[in-house]
Amino acid sequence: MLKKAYLLLLLSIITSAAALAQQSLDVNFNGFGFLDNREYKAFIPRSHTYSGTRTALDFGLNLDSLNHFVVGANALHEFGARPFFGKVDPIAYYKYQGTNWQFFAGAFPREGLLSDYPRALLNDTLQYYRPNVEGLLARYQNEHFTETGWIDWVSRQTLTQREQFLFGFSGKYKPQPYGPFYVSHYFLLMHDAGAEVLLPNDHITDNGGGQITLGVNLSHKTMLDSLTFEAGGLFSLERERGVDGFKTPAGFVFKAYLSYHKIALYEEFYKGQGSNIIYGDSYYSKPTYNRIDIIYTPFLFDRVKGQFVASFHFSPGNMNDNQEVFRISYDLGRKVLKRF
């Protein structure tokens, strides 16, 4: 009995020592620069040039291989603006990283977690001006199935500020892990409860939408590096409580992507009823919309990527809207500063 007790004590000490040996402090530096010129006759207020750079520095405390705490900052400088950093977003979150489960709580980067959302639901300027999610996110994945649920707090309610938050879920199902077919879905809803003191004729509103598509990935069956097609439905939800019920405009979406070495082509088409999704791309308020992206990646190194994109937008009455973008992104990866 005494021998078993000693063995259990020794095993406990070894396990604790192993856990402590995994503790470490690390640092990460990343960012990107962007020059995004938009010539939109269909949406004059959005027809201007976005330009600037974002830099993020954070430190991570790794308690073991599963539990991590990260703190830092992500700063935006728009070219020509004063002061230099016009907006600094704090980074402060807890992360659980298991075999199948991931969990985030706090203010954490959306890149890699929600950056795959269709532009119809989350527009592409969020990476410039709102790079973090402030709330919670949980993800489960296995070889067939991935599902992500999240909530992002946009504004806290005060006497004058509105209570606003986004929540949603997204996922992908593959009947065969290495097969070509898959089904993907995305959904989000913004809840706007107003300020503590509602103004006359001010109502609580809900706004959002979803997309479900069937896709096929033929990348390994052709000479191209990538070849994928998706087709399905897009819908939106709009409601002003006390005034009307949910409006549910819907339509058909089609997407195609192909790439070969440094050149890629992306086609996006929508046909249906126009939707007013607040955080989505305004072009989807049109009954017909077609977008073609010609993408050139002149350099792609281990941790640095530079890319040119020429976009052409076609909508009723505006057949020559265009956009020219250059982006460069870099990520030095997590470097261990100290092991405990």
mmCIF file with all atom_site columns, all heavy atoms in Angstrom, residues 6 28 74 132 143 146 155 180 207 273 317 321 323-324 327:
data_model
loop_
_atom_site.group_PDB
_atom_site.id
_atom_site.type_symbol
_atom_site.label_atom_id
_atom_site.label_alt_id
_atom_site.label_comp_id
_atom_site.label_asym_id
_atom_site.label_entity_id
_atom_site.label_seq_id
_atom_site.pdbx_PDB_ins_code
_atom_site.Cartn_x
_atom_site.Cartn_y
_atom_site.Cartn_z
_atom_site.occupancy
_atom_site.B_iso_or_equiv
_atom_site.pdbx_formal_charge
_atom_site.auth_seq_id
_atom_site.auth_comp_id
_atom_site.auth_asym_id
_atom_site.auth_atom_id
_atom_site.pdbx_PDB_model_num
ATOM 1   N N   . TYR A 1 6   ? 3.602   5.890  -2.683  1.00 0.00 ? 6   TYR A N   1
ATOM 2   C CA  . TYR A 1 6   ? 4.813   6.568  -3.150  1.00 0.00 ? 6   TYR A CA  1
ATOM 3   C C   . TYR A 1 6   ? 4.818   6.692  -4.669  1.00 0.00 ? 6   TYR A C   1
ATOM 4   O O   . TYR A 1 6   ? 5.234   7.703  -5.235  1.00 0.00 ? 6   TYR A O   1
ATOM 5   C CB  . TYR A 1 6   ? 6.054   5.801  -2.685  1.00 0.00 ? 6   TYR A CB  1
ATOM 6   C CG  . TYR A 1 6   ? 6.477   6.134  -1.280  1.00 0.00 ? 6   TYR A CG  1
ATOM 7   C CD1 . TYR A 1 6   ? 6.612   5.134  -0.314  1.00 0.00 ? 6   TYR A CD1 1
ATOM 8   C CD2 . TYR A 1 6   ? 6.754   7.444  -0.904  1.00 0.00 ? 6   TYR A CD2 1
ATOM 9   C CE1 . TYR A 1 6   ? 6.995   5.424  0.987   1.00 0.00 ? 6   TYR A CE1 1
ATOM 10  C CE2 . TYR A 1 6   ? 7.144   7.750  0.396   1.00 0.00 ? 6   TYR A CE2 1
ATOM 11  C CZ  . TYR A 1 6   ? 7.258   6.735  1.335   1.00 0.00 ? 6   TYR A CZ  1
ATOM 12  O OH  . TYR A 1 6   ? 7.631   7.047  2.617   1.00 0.00 ? 6   TYR A OH  1
ATOM 13  N N   . ASN A 1 28  ? 4.704   37.989 -30.578 1.00 0.00 ? 28  ASN A N   1
ATOM 14  C CA  . ASN A 1 28  ? 4.346   37.927 -31.989 1.00 0.00 ? 28  ASN A CA  1
ATOM 15  C C   . ASN A 1 28  ? 4.230   39.347 -32.545 1.00 0.00 ? 28  ASN A C   1
ATOM 16  O O   . ASN A 1 28  ? 3.672   40.232 -31.902 1.00 0.00 ? 28  ASN A O   1
ATOM 17  C CB  . ASN A 1 28  ? 3.012   37.194 -32.188 1.00 0.00 ? 28  ASN A CB  1
ATOM 18  C CG  . ASN A 1 28  ? 2.547   37.220 -33.637 1.00 0.00 ? 28  ASN A CG  1
ATOM 19  O OD1 . ASN A 1 28  ? 1.561   37.862 -33.975 1.00 0.00 ? 28  ASN A OD1 1
ATOM 20  N ND2 . ASN A 1 28  ? 3.263   36.532 -34.497 1.00 0.00 ? 28  ASN A ND2 1
ATOM 21  N N   . ASN A 1 74  ? -3.096  46.529 -31.451 1.00 0.00 ? 74  ASN A N   1
ATOM 22  C CA  . ASN A 1 74  ? -3.109  46.570 -32.910 1.00 0.00 ? 74  ASN A CA  1
ATOM 23  C C   . ASN A 1 74  ? -3.398  48.016 -33.313 1.00 0.00 ? 74  ASN A C   1
ATOM 24  O O   . ASN A 1 74  ? -4.487  48.535 -33.054 1.00 0.00 ? 74  ASN A O   1
ATOM 25  C CB  . ASN A 1 74  ? -4.180  45.632 -33.457 1.00 0.00 ? 74  ASN A CB  1
ATOM 26  C CG  . ASN A 1 74  ? -4.133  45.497 -34.970 1.00 0.00 ? 74  ASN A CG  1
ATOM 27  O OD1 . ASN A 1 74  ? -3.802  46.433 -35.679 1.00 0.00 ? 74  ASN A OD1 1
ATOM 28  N ND2 . ASN A 1 74  ? -4.474  44.317 -35.464 1.00 0.00 ? 74  ASN A ND2 1
ATOM 29  N N   . ASN A 1 132 ? -10.450 43.224 -34.750 1.00 0.00 ? 132 ASN A N   1
ATOM 30  C CA  . ASN A 1 132 ? -10.655 42.331 -33.614 1.00 0.00 ? 132 ASN A CA  1
ATOM 31  C C   . ASN A 1 132 ? -12.124 41.999 -33.406 1.00 0.00 ? 132 ASN A C   1
ATOM 32  O O   . ASN A 1 132 ? -13.009 42.793 -33.726 1.00 0.00 ? 132 ASN A O   1
ATOM 33  C CB  . ASN A 1 132 ? -10.117 42.962 -32.320 1.00 0.00 ? 132 ASN A CB  1
ATOM 34  C CG  . ASN A 1 132 ? -8.606  43.053 -32.311 1.00 0.00 ? 132 ASN A CG  1
ATOM 35  O OD1 . ASN A 1 132 ? -7.922  42.373 -33.076 1.00 0.00 ? 132 ASN A OD1 1
ATOM 36  N ND2 . ASN A 1 132 ? -8.077  43.891 -31.442 1.00 0.00 ? 132 ASN A ND2 1
ATOM 37  N N   . GLU A 1 143 ? -12.444 15.618 -39.087 1.00 0.00 ? 143 GLU A N   1
ATOM 38  C CA  . GLU A 1 143 ? -12.090 15.449 -40.498 1.00 0.00 ? 143 GLU A CA  1
ATOM 39  C C   . GLU A 1 143 ? -13.266 15.684 -41.441 1.00 0.00 ? 143 GLU A C   1
ATOM 40  O O   . GLU A 1 143 ? -13.060 15.941 -42.635 1.00 0.00 ? 143 GLU A O   1
ATOM 41  C CB  . GLU A 1 143 ? -11.504 14.058 -40.728 1.00 0.00 ? 143 GLU A CB  1
ATOM 42  C CG  . GLU A 1 143 ? -12.455 12.917 -40.401 1.00 0.00 ? 143 GLU A CG  1
ATOM 43  C CD  . GLU A 1 143 ? -11.819 11.564 -40.662 1.00 0.00 ? 143 GLU A CD  1
ATOM 44  O OE1 . GLU A 1 143 ? -10.659 11.540 -41.118 1.00 0.00 ? 143 GLU A OE1 1
ATOM 45  O OE2 . GLU A 1 143 ? -12.485 10.538 -40.424 1.00 0.00 ? 143 GLU A OE2 1
ATOM 46  N N   . THR A 1 146 ? -16.719 21.143 -39.540 1.00 0.00 ? 146 THR A N   1
ATOM 47  C CA  . THR A 1 146 ? -16.225 22.301 -38.787 1.00 0.00 ? 146 THR A CA  1
ATOM 48  C C   . THR A 1 146 ? -17.401 23.223 -38.491 1.00 0.00 ? 146 THR A C   1
ATOM 49  O O   . THR A 1 146 ? -18.191 23.520 -39.387 1.00 0.00 ? 146 THR A O   1
ATOM 50  C CB  . THR A 1 146 ? -15.162 23.083 -39.584 1.00 0.00 ? 146 THR A CB  1
ATOM 51  O OG1 . THR A 1 146 ? -14.055 22.233 -39.881 1.00 0.00 ? 146 THR A OG1 1
ATOM 52  C CG2 . THR A 1 146 ? -14.651 24.276 -38.775 1.00 0.00 ? 146 THR A CG2 1
ATOM 53  N N   . SER A 1 155 ? -21.048 47.791 -29.422 1.00 0.00 ? 155 SER A N   1
ATOM 54  C CA  . SER A 1 155 ? -21.229 49.013 -28.640 1.00 0.00 ? 155 SER A CA  1
ATOM 55  C C   . SER A 1 155 ? -21.946 48.678 -27.334 1.00 0.00 ? 155 SER A C   1
ATOM 56  O O   . SER A 1 155 ? -22.936 47.942 -27.334 1.00 0.00 ? 155 SER A O   1
ATOM 57  C CB  . SER A 1 155 ? -22.039 50.039 -29.441 1.00 0.00 ? 155 SER A CB  1
ATOM 58  O OG  . SER A 1 155 ? -22.304 51.197 -28.670 1.00 0.00 ? 155 SER A OG  1
ATOM 59  N N   . PRO A 1 180 ? -14.133 15.809 -53.253 1.00 0.00 ? 180 PRO A N   1
ATOM 60  C CA  . PRO A 1 180 ? -14.240 17.162 -53.819 1.00 0.00 ? 180 PRO A CA  1
ATOM 61  C C   . PRO A 1 180 ? -15.436 17.969 -53.320 1.00 0.00 ? 180 PRO A C   1
ATOM 62  O O   . PRO A 1 180 ? -15.422 19.198 -53.398 1.00 0.00 ? 180 PRO A O   1
ATOM 63  C CB  . PRO A 1 180 ? -14.371 16.894 -55.321 1.00 0.00 ? 180 PRO A CB  1
ATOM 64  C CG  . PRO A 1 180 ? -15.031 15.549 -55.401 1.00 0.00 ? 180 PRO A CG  1
ATOM 65  C CD  . PRO A 1 180 ? -14.526 14.769 -54.216 1.00 0.00 ? 180 PRO A CD  1
ATOM 66  N N   . ASN A 1 207 ? -30.843 42.914 -37.731 1.00 0.00 ? 207 ASN A N   1
ATOM 67  C CA  . ASN A 1 207 ? -30.413 42.946 -39.129 1.00 0.00 ? 207 ASN A CA  1
ATOM 68  C C   . ASN A 1 207 ? -29.322 41.909 -39.334 1.00 0.00 ? 207 ASN A C   1
ATOM 69  O O   . ASN A 1 207 ? -28.367 41.838 -38.553 1.00 0.00 ? 207 ASN A O   1
ATOM 70  C CB  . ASN A 1 207 ? -29.890 44.340 -39.488 1.00 0.00 ? 207 ASN A CB  1
ATOM 71  C CG  . ASN A 1 207 ? -29.388 44.428 -40.916 1.00 0.00 ? 207 ASN A CG  1
ATOM 72  O OD1 . ASN A 1 207 ? -28.275 44.010 -41.208 1.00 0.00 ? 207 ASN A OD1 1
ATOM 73  N ND2 . ASN A 1 207 ? -30.212 44.965 -41.804 1.00 0.00 ? 207 ASN A ND2 1
ATOM 74  N N   . GLN A 1 273 ? -33.460 39.365 -54.866 1.00 0.00 ? 273 GLN A N   1
ATOM 75  C CA  . GLN A 1 273 ? -33.962 40.568 -54.233 1.00 0.00 ? 273 GLN A CA  1
ATOM 76  C C   . GLN A 1 273 ? -32.823 41.277 -53.502 1.00 0.00 ? 273 GLN A C   1
ATOM 77  O O   . GLN A 1 273 ? -31.969 40.637 -52.897 1.00 0.00 ? 273 GLN A O   1
ATOM 78  C CB  . GLN A 1 273 ? -35.072 40.202 -53.241 1.00 0.00 ? 273 GLN A CB  1
ATOM 79  C CG  . GLN A 1 273 ? -36.270 39.527 -53.879 1.00 0.00 ? 273 GLN A CG  1
ATOM 80  C CD  . GLN A 1 273 ? -37.173 38.874 -52.842 1.00 0.00 ? 273 GLN A CD  1
ATOM 81  O OE1 . GLN A 1 273 ? -36.765 38.008 -52.102 1.00 0.00 ? 273 GLN A OE1 1
ATOM 82  N NE2 . GLN A 1 273 ? -38.429 39.328 -52.798 1.00 0.00 ? 273 GLN A NE2 1
ATOM 83  N N   . GLY A 1 317 ? -27.312 49.791 -64.248 1.00 0.00 ? 317 GLY A N   1
ATOM 84  C CA  . GLY A 1 317 ? -27.038 51.208 -64.416 1.00 0.00 ? 317 GLY A CA  1
ATOM 85  C C   . GLY A 1 317 ? -25.607 51.619 -64.139 1.00 0.00 ? 317 GLY A C   1
ATOM 86  O O   . GLY A 1 317 ? -25.233 52.769 -64.400 1.00 0.00 ? 317 GLY A O   1
ATOM 87  N N   . ASP A 1 321 ? -17.936 50.298 -62.660 1.00 0.00 ? 321 ASP A N   1
ATOM 88  C CA  . ASP A 1 321 ? -17.302 50.516 -61.363 1.00 0.00 ? 321 ASP A CA  1
ATOM 89  C C   . ASP A 1 321 ? -16.070 49.625 -61.241 1.00 0.00 ? 321 ASP A C   1
ATOM 90  O O   . ASP A 1 321 ? -16.069 48.475 -61.711 1.00 0.00 ? 321 ASP A O   1
ATOM 91  C CB  . ASP A 1 321 ? -18.276 50.184 -60.229 1.00 0.00 ? 321 ASP A CB  1
ATOM 92  C CG  . ASP A 1 321 ? -19.371 51.226 -60.105 1.00 0.00 ? 321 ASP A CG  1
ATOM 93  O OD1 . ASP A 1 321 ? -19.422 52.145 -60.944 1.00 0.00 ? 321 ASP A OD1 1
ATOM 94  O OD2 . ASP A 1 321 ? -20.184 51.126 -59.162 1.00 0.00 ? 321 ASP A OD2 1
ATOM 95  N N   . GLN A 1 323 ? -12.069 48.863 -58.962 1.00 0.00 ? 323 GLN A N   1
ATOM 96  C CA  . GLN A 1 323 ? -11.327 48.946 -57.710 1.00 0.00 ? 323 GLN A CA  1
ATOM 97  C C   . GLN A 1 323 ? -9.927  48.392 -57.940 1.00 0.00 ? 323 GLN A C   1
ATOM 98  O O   . GLN A 1 323 ? -9.755  47.365 -58.601 1.00 0.00 ? 323 GLN A O   1
ATOM 99  C CB  . GLN A 1 323 ? -12.069 48.124 -56.646 1.00 0.00 ? 323 GLN A CB  1
ATOM 100 C CG  . GLN A 1 323 ? -11.417 48.022 -55.297 1.00 0.00 ? 323 GLN A CG  1
ATOM 101 C CD  . GLN A 1 323 ? -12.269 47.170 -54.354 1.00 0.00 ? 323 GLN A CD  1
ATOM 102 O OE1 . GLN A 1 323 ? -13.368 46.735 -54.685 1.00 0.00 ? 323 GLN A OE1 1
ATOM 103 N NE2 . GLN A 1 323 ? -11.752 46.914 -53.168 1.00 0.00 ? 323 GLN A NE2 1
ATOM 104 N N   . GLU A 1 324 ? -8.922  49.091 -57.411 1.00 0.00 ? 324 GLU A N   1
ATOM 105 C CA  . GLU A 1 324 ? -7.533  48.643 -57.525 1.00 0.00 ? 324 GLU A CA  1
ATOM 106 C C   . GLU A 1 324 ? -6.945  48.565 -56.117 1.00 0.00 ? 324 GLU A C   1
ATOM 107 O O   . GLU A 1 324 ? -7.002  49.538 -55.366 1.00 0.00 ? 324 GLU A O   1
ATOM 108 C CB  . GLU A 1 324 ? -6.702  49.602 -58.372 1.00 0.00 ? 324 GLU A CB  1
ATOM 109 C CG  . GLU A 1 324 ? -7.196  49.746 -59.817 1.00 0.00 ? 324 GLU A CG  1
ATOM 110 C CD  . GLU A 1 324 ? -8.398  50.677 -59.932 1.00 0.00 ? 324 GLU A CD  1
ATOM 111 O OE1 . GLU A 1 324 ? -8.423  51.699 -59.211 1.00 0.00 ? 324 GLU A OE1 1
ATOM 112 O OE2 . GLU A 1 324 ? -9.318  50.369 -60.719 1.00 0.00 ? 324 GLU A OE2 1
ATOM 113 N N   . ARG A 1 327 ? -2.010  45.022 -51.341 1.00 0.00 ? 327 ARG A N   1
ATOM 114 C CA  . ARG A 1 327 ? -1.866  44.687 -49.923 1.00 0.00 ? 327 ARG A CA  1
ATOM 115 C C   . ARG A 1 327 ? -0.568  43.913 -49.721 1.00 0.00 ? 327 ARG A C   1
ATOM 116 O O   . ARG A 1 327 ? -0.203  43.074 -50.548 1.00 0.00 ? 327 ARG A O   1
ATOM 117 C CB  . ARG A 1 327 ? -3.030  43.825 -49.428 1.00 0.00 ? 327 ARG A CB  1
ATOM 118 C CG  . ARG A 1 327 ? -4.401  44.466 -49.527 1.00 0.00 ? 327 ARG A CG  1
ATOM 119 C CD  . ARG A 1 327 ? -5.459  43.604 -48.830 1.00 0.00 ? 327 ARG A CD  1
ATOM 120 N NE  . ARG A 1 327 ? -6.805  44.118 -49.038 1.00 0.00 ? 327 ARG A NE  1
ATOM 121 C CZ  . ARG A 1 327 ? -7.658  43.640 -49.930 1.00 0.00 ? 327 ARG A CZ  1
ATOM 122 N NH1 . ARG A 1 327 ? -7.280  42.635 -50.712 1.00 0.00 ? 327 ARG A NH1 1
ATOM 123 N NH2 . ARG A 1 327 ? -8.867  44.155 -50.057 1.00 0.00 ? 327 ARG A NH2 1
#
